[in-house]
Structure formats: C-alpha cells, structure tokens
Amino acid sequence: MQEKVVIIGGGTAGPKTAAKLRRERPDIKIDLYTQEDIISYSACGLPYFIENLIQNPETLIIRTPEDFKKQDIDIHLKQKCLKVNTKEQTVLIEDLISKNIYEVSYNILVIATGAVPVMPNIAGIDLKNIFTLRTIQDGINIKNKMQGAKKAVLLGGGYISIELLEAFVHNNLQVTLIEKNSQILKMFDEDFAQNITDYILGRNPGQVNILTNEEVVAFSGNDKNEVEKVITSSGKEIETDFVILGTGVKPNTDFLSGTDIKLSVNNSIKVDKTLRTSKHDIYAAGDCTDNFNLVTNRYMWMPLGSTANKEGRCAAINIAGGHCLFEGILNSTITKYFDYTISIIGINYKEALELGFQPEFAIVTKRDKAGYMPNTGTVTLKLIADKNTHTILGIQGIGEGDVNQRINTVIPAIIERTKLETFMNLDLPYSPPYSPAIDPVLNAAQIVYQKING
Amino acid sequence: MQEKVVIIGGGTAGPKTAAKLRRERPDIKIDLYTQEDIISYSACGLPYFIENLIQNPETLIIRTPEDFKKQDIDIHLKQKCLKVNTKEQTVLIEDLISKNIYEVSYNILVIATGAVPVMPNIAGIDLKNIFTLRTIQDGINIKNKMQGAKKAVLLGGGYISIELLEAFVHNNLQVTLIEKNSQILKMFDEDFAQNITDYILGRNPGQVNILTNEEVVAFSGNDKNEVEKVITSSGKEIETDFVILGTGVKPNTDFLSGTDIKLSVNNSIKVDKTLRTSKHDIYAAGDCTDNFNLVTNRYMWMPLGSTANKEGRCAAINIAGGHCLFEGILNSTITKYFDYTISIIGINYKEALELGFQPEFAIVTKRDKAGYMPNTGTVTLKLIADKNTHTILGIQGIGEGDVNQRINTVIPAIIERTKLETFMNLDLPYSPPYSPAIDPVLNAAQIVYQKING
C-alpha cells in the first residue's frame, strides 16, 4: 500500500516539507491541508509590500497549489484541522466553506501549523481598523487602510513594529509606537535599544513618537465602530486612523490539547533533532515547534521563517528515510530601519548574567571600510564573551554600515565555542572597499579578550 | 638598563608592532628604521588613489613620524638595514642621505621589511614609464602618468592588476592585460577565472583586452627612452603610454643571507606562532614572514596587509611579555572590479585534488536578498568540501551581490572543521532585505552534502 503523508499547515514549513519530500520520494502520497486560502508565501516580506517597495503581493508567493499539483502534491485550501487522533492515525478536518467535517488517515503526520497572534485583552479591541499582520490578506488590508491615512498607532516594540514603522514613515504617516516594557526590542541590551530608539527618533524628527512603560487600556471608536483613539495607562489619548497589534504570537497548537503529543515551551510542540514529536509517526516543523538554543543549551520558542525552512527540509529528509539533524538555533535575527541595520545573535549581556555566565563585553564603533574610502558607513558592535571559557555568547550590531557581514562571521564561532584568542586573529579577507585592515568584529574580540585577560 | 627594541621596516607590521608595544610597555626604548621616507601607510589603498576615488595620498597615511614621536617612538627615515649580526645583537644601517654606515644594538630585534616587486628579465625593462606599485610615491607617479594617457598595459593577472584595471578603465584608458598563464587570478579555479574574465570584458566592451598564455619578450621605446610598445611571445606589438609590472613580489630578506636566521618558503623568514624567528631575541612580522595555512597544514608565503597588522600586534604582545598566538591563515583574499566582488578563502578544487583531499564542490548562483525585494544582486559561490571528513576546504565567490557576507560566514567553519551537516543548518539571521530564507552559502553546503552523501 502506498505510504500516506499528511501535512497540516501551509505557511512555510509545511510547503517546504512537501516539496522536499516529493524530490526525495516520488512514491509517497502527499496531502497538505491548510485553513488559509493561499499557501507558501513569505510573511516576512509583508512589511515591504505595505511600504510599497513591492507592488504586487503575488510576488510573495513562492509556490501555488497548481505548482504543487504538477509535483503530485495535493493542496487542500480552507480545510482546518480540528483534532489529531494519534491512536487511529487520523486527523479531523473541517471544510471551512461547506462546514463539512471529515476524517483523513495518515501513515506519517507533519504538523506545521505555525503561530497565531496573541490578542490582548483590551476594551474596544473589536473595533474596525485594528489589525494584526500575519497573512497576505492582512497585508492588503493594512496597505489599503494606510493609503489615505494620516496617523497610525503600533502596539508593541518588536521587529514587526519596527518594519511597519518604516513602512508608515516612508508613506508620510504620523506614527506612535507604544511599548509596555521600558525599552523597545527587548532581546537587546538596554544601551543598544536606546541607540536604536535615538536613531529612529532622529531620522524623522517629529514624525515618530515612541512611548515606553506605557500600556494601552482601551480603544475608543466613532459611530461607524472605527477606532479613533488609543487610551493609555498614563492617561494619554492618541488619535489615530488605525492600529496594528504587534503584541506577539503563540504557537498554533490549541487543537492538540488532549492528545498525547508532548508540548514544550509556550505550548510549542516538543521535537527532537530529527523534527520528530513524542509520537513516532508524527513530525512537526516551523513556528509551532520548540527550539534548542545552542548558546544556553535550553529549549525556547522562537518562531522564524529561516528556521521553518530548514526544519521543513530536514523533516522531509528524515521522513524520506534519510538523515538530517537540526541541531538548534542561536536566536539570530536581523532587520532594518531604512538604511540602519539592527541585528542580534545569541544572548545579550543581561541574559548572560541571569543564566549564570561570567560575561564580559566590548562595544566598538568603527567604519565598515578603510577610513579613506568613499561611502563608508558606521557599525557599532557589542560582543559578549564568557570570562571562564573565553567563548562568544552573543553579538549585537547596529548601524548604517555593513553590520550583517560582521554578525555572520561570529555565528559558526559561537556554535563551535571558538576561543576569543583564536577568533581575534581570524583570517578575514581584507581589501579597502570591504573592511578596515582589522575588521571591526576582530577588533571587538581583541578588546573583550584584553578586558578578560587583564 | 632600559630594554631596547629595534624594528626594521616601516610599512604595516613594523609601525603596528611599535604602536602596540608602546601601549603595552611604556618603559621600553623603541626605534624603527626604514629605508623609505614615509611610514605606516595603506599600500592596499593605492589603486583607489590612482582611480581618483581618493584625492589626497596623505589620507592613506595611518600615523606620521610625529605621531610616533608623541608616543616616545623614534622613527628613522631613509635608513636602510644592510646586515644583522645576531651574535653581537647589532644591525648595520646605511643612512641613504649621508651614505654613512653605522651600527645599532638591540635587545630585541623585529624584522618587518615586507616584500619587494620581482623585476622580470625583459629587454627594455629600464625604459621610462614602466612602473611597479608599492609605495605612495609609486602611486603618485602612476596617477600623474595616467592623467593624460590614452593606453596602458598591465603585466600579470593578479589582484593589483584587476584593481588598476578598474582605475584605468574608470579614467577612460584603453587597457591591455597580459598574463603568461592560461588564466588570470591563478588562485581561482579555471571556471571562476573565466567568469571573472567574461565579466571584465563584458562590462566595458572594446576598452579592455585580456591576453592569456602570452609572455612579454621586450619593451621598445621612443627617442626619449619612454616605453612605446610591448612585444609579446606570439609576435603581438601593443602600443602603450605606460606599463605596470604586476608580476609578483618576494620577501625583502636578501640582507639576511649569511645570518643564522632561518628562512622558509620563498626565502621568507621562518616564524613560530609567537612570531619569533629561529633566534630567541629576533621576531619577524608581516610580508617578510612565512605563513601557516590552516587548511593544508603547510607553510606558504602569502603577503597581505591584514595579516601584517595582526602579526605586528601579536609580536608586540609577546615582546611585551604577554601571550599571543598567531595560528595561521586561510589565504583569504577579496577585491572588486567596480561593483563586482571577487573573493576566495582556503584552497580551490584543483589544489584540493593535488593535495590529496577527496574534494567535492557545489556552485550556486542566487540572489543575495529575497527575490521579491528591490535592488537584489547575484552571488555565485563555489563551495569545496572534503568527502572523507565532510569539512569545508574553501570557497570562491563572485558577483554584484553581497559576496563578502557569505564568504565570511565560512571562515570560522573552515578553521573549526565544522561538518557540512552542521554548517548547512547554521542559524544565520534572515530578513528579506538581507538574504533569502535559506542563505546562498547554506544552499551551497546543502548541495555539496547531498553530492557527497549520494
């Protein structure tokens, strides 16, 4: 009998698993069920679509159901998974159009249901023009609202808010960002978060307002039930044309409650390095799984498109009978605010202290090319290392210069526990248009090493 | 008695050693002797000065003798070292102005005499307007000649020739590059050298001519003894206004012949990882030393400004009583031809075969950002790994996209012998303006791994 693989979820990991599995195994039957009406798209590109750097939202679609059909993969749109019966090897599916409910059996199940926005419990949250951003339709709705709007409010100071801030500022809106913590971008140390805040405020003076330590207590609307004002804990009333909720996401795993599939941090699905769940015949991949952090050696939950891609690929190889280990992550993230790069890898100084490391750090601000070259940019790096082991725990990078190149150099060194004394003499290629003779990241390592070595 | 450190050579490593040593040890007497009339400059910046991206050659100077004087370091210009007497701990110096010859004693000697151009044995080589490029004065002479010239000939197809080719093309000259081997940039595999050649020829059609397998047999001059024609082995006669000899360099160590300082590859100075020579009280750093290649585990000679900087710093730390190991190099180089990056790390496929590895490779051509973003560039990577150990032996990268970022990611992985199966799932930070969801360098690793694993 033909082996039957059922995949639940159509964002990134699901379609990736399907496509890779088909390349590895032409013989298996592959069916993918998704509650959405579109699959295999880059959600990470949505802020740039809203900004208008991308005109056609269809360019964000990587593969269509028709593309999959050519590969003999059946995509079932608007079909929502309600329940998994691990004993019977079946899933219960609801057809969101006809409302029919039916059972599908599997030999291997892949859960790739991703993450869903957390809706904060705020009075007036059901008013019109309060958006979350996850699907292409969300992106289209926000873009339509933005065009013609004058004011926007962003709730939450994470990456998506920074990216949407760029989009709205670029489109000449007046924007207020409201963050309940004492800093935006809470993965960064306070000093770097402050630098980023200063850059954002300084780039378009008067156009952006960032409120920290401020909670939204209510939204008030007009007679058309459209949001009109955001009311905060300190009594501020902020007029706005629309609101974006960037208040976080959670694993889309509620439908697994009551099953014997083991859950992990934040109710993400526990997977081993082969992406197998606690059930031998069930894999999981992407934003719904837990993640092993290679710096802290602890499990965490970190939903990211790049991880979803790699996990989907890896799960497919293992399902196909091959061997692929997804060893873990470094919590690596990057974004930009116009020409200013914002990136962090590993853990920050505060986390390092909390986790019981003996951290030391260096901050360097250097030009990204030889100083005499035209068009140099500045990079500011904060490199954090452990005094006991001389290994790198993390790096934060910001600036209008080439930050990414420096950040990437550190990544294999973190997972390999490369000692600072080796790292600081790394043979990075040098030429005046690409770096100073001693690259800023090596310079940072030299300084941390000197601080540690006294 | 005050300890006396004498440094010979004023390019990169010598001044770096002096400056770092002073920071570490305020008590030592430091004297630096150089045959040139200028010290501490970036020779790597000269092509961009000639191109006119940099107007003032003084911006290439990192520190002046006056800067050093403030640090209590005595710089002795136009003083050439003729001989080292290792038994008496003295060096014999000639004052190039007064022609006086005198002895200087040392407790610690640092040899940092760099490299000198190899002058090919060609009839007519003494004609006017035949240049080598090493010093700032060379750069000024070439720039003066270029302005007003219409035609140039470059001998040798190495990095400096590519950089000067850009400079001359940018200034609207007609340029012929003559290379005796079958390809330019001999460190690259033939396929990549051909891609680079095609790019150069295609960028300014008709303005550049690249002749390979062609030797220059003579230069002929006019009645003012100025070079006028370059005559090749196949009988070509190429008219030109001036000629650049990019035919290689050698360690500047002739003055050490007859001493008991051990020499190494190409008569470079043998140093250990502390930058100490075979004599306990003599260190060497920079282009005059040999280099340990961390891929091949063999000694080689690879003169590079970045290495000179690191070696000078490391030697100073050790002389000061600290501890610094310079473990070796990866033969890492990078340059550009206008917006096109050219870079190689480690060894190429042909070398890997010759050295007895079991190499496998993948070539990928990918966009450097998410495909739907504006202003993406293309990167082409050739990743070479060893079938037996699954470790990376080298990478070649070319293209108008961000090559440097990918190349740098591989470097710590090479020295740590990271396995492909780990490397290909590396948590590189992803965002559409910075990379595709699976970075091209990870994609290359996936493909090599699949080829190896069948």
Side-chain angles (χ1 to χ4, degrees), chain A residues 155-166:
Chain A
L155 250 67
Y159 273 55
I160 286 185
S161 287
I162 302 300
E163 292 162 5
L164 287 176
L165 187 61
E166 174 184 315

Side-chain angles (χ1 to χ4, degrees), chain A residues 16 20 24 42-46 48 53-54 59-60 163 304-307 309-311 313-314 317 323-345 370 372-374 402 404-413 415-419 421-435 437-439 442 446-447 449-450 453, chain B residues 16 20 24 42-46 48 53-54 59-60 163 304-307 309-311 313-314 317 323-345 370 372-374 402 404-413 415-419 421-435 437-439 442 446-447 449-450 453:
Chain A
K16 183 80 187 179
K20 179 71 179 165
E24 300 282 315
S42 170
C44 302
L46 289 170
Y48 307 104
L53 298 183
I54 304 162
T59 59
L60 297 178
E163 292 162 5
L304 284 173
S306 46
T307 303
N309 254 291
K310 289 171 200 152
E311 287 188 342
R313 183 179 178 277
C314 210
I317 291 171
H323 184 66
C324 181
L325 295 183
F326 186 77
E327 296 172 19
I329 63 161
L330 291 172
N331 223 346
S332 305
T333 55
I334 191 165
T335 194
K336 72 183 189 75
Y337 184 71
F338 294 96
D339 294 328
Y340 183 83
T341 298
I342 299 166
S343 182
I344 179 167
I345 313 291
Y372 49 76
M373 291 298 289
D402 186 344
N404 200 174
Q405 171 184 325
R406 277 78 206 190
I407 292 283
N408 274 18
T409 308
V410 171
I411 292 173
I415 64 163
E416 294 290 3
R417 312 283 195 251
T418 304
K419 285 188 184 295
E421 39 272 60
T422 295
F423 185 84
M424 71 187 185
N425 283 325
L426 214 55
D427 189 13
L428 302 182
Y430 159 61
S431 174
Y434 295 94
S435 75
I438 301 283
D439 191 272
L442 302 187
Q446 289 172 352
I447 295 171
Y449 180 70
Q450 268 182 330
N453 238 32
Chain B
K16 184 79 186 179
K20 180 70 179 166
E24 300 282 315
S42 170
C44 302
L46 289 170
Y48 307 103
L53 299 183
I54 304 162
T59 58
L60 298 178
E163 291 162 6
L304 284 173
S306 46
T307 303
N309 254 292
K310 289 169 200 153
E311 288 188 341
R313 181 178 180 279
C314 210
I317 291 170
H323 184 66
C324 181
L325 294 184
F326 186 76
E327 295 172 21
I329 63 161
L330 291 173
N331 223 347
S332 305
T333 55
I334 191 165
T335 194
K336 73 184 189 74
Y337 184 70
F338 294 97
D339 294 329
Y340 183 83
T341 298
I342 300 166
S343 182
I344 179 167
I345 312 292
Y372 49 76
M373 291 298 288
D402 187 343
N404 200 173
Q405 172 183 325
R406 278 78 207 191
I407 291 284
N408 274 20
T409 309
V410 171
I411 292 173
I415 66 163
E416 294 289 3
R417 311 283 193 254
T418 305
K419 286 188 185 294
E421 40 270 61
T422 295
F423 186 84
M424 69 187 188
N425 283 326
L426 214 55
D427 189 13
L428 303 183
Y430 159 61
S431 174
Y434 294 94
S435 76
I438 301 283
D439 191 89
L442 302 186
Q446 290 173 350
I447 295 171
Y449 180 70
Q450 267 182 328
N453 239 33

Side-chain angles (χ1 to χ4, degrees), chain B residues 352-414:
Chain B
L353 282 175
E354 285 164 4
L355 288 162
F357 290 101
Q358 303 278 318
E360 186 55 88
F361 71 92
I363 296 176
V364 300
T365 296
K366 296 271 172 188
R367 289 199 253 178
D368 63 347
K369 304 173 182 69
Y372 49 76
M373 291 298 288
N375 306 319
T376 62
T378 291
V379 300
T380 298
L381 304 175
K382 181 171 185 173
L383 187 74
I384 297 148
D386 184 51
K387 287 179 197 170
N388 288 334
T389 59
H390 295 193
T391 58
I392 300 171
L393 301 172
I395 185 165
Q396 295 162 61
I398 52 178
E400 293 180 329
D402 187 343
V403 169
N404 200 173
Q405 172 183 325
R406 278 78 207 191
I407 291 284
N408 274 20
T409 309
V410 171
I411 292 173
I414 295 182

Side-chain angles (χ1 to χ4, degrees), chain B residues 183-202:
Chain B
Q183 67 174 59
I184 61 168
L185 298 170
K186 65 176 191 283
M187 62 289 264
F188 283 83
D189 281 319
E190 199 187 338
D191 50 357
F192 265 53
Q194 189 59 52
N195 285 339
I196 296 164
T197 302
D198 292 345
Y199 182 86
I200 292 171
L201 295 175

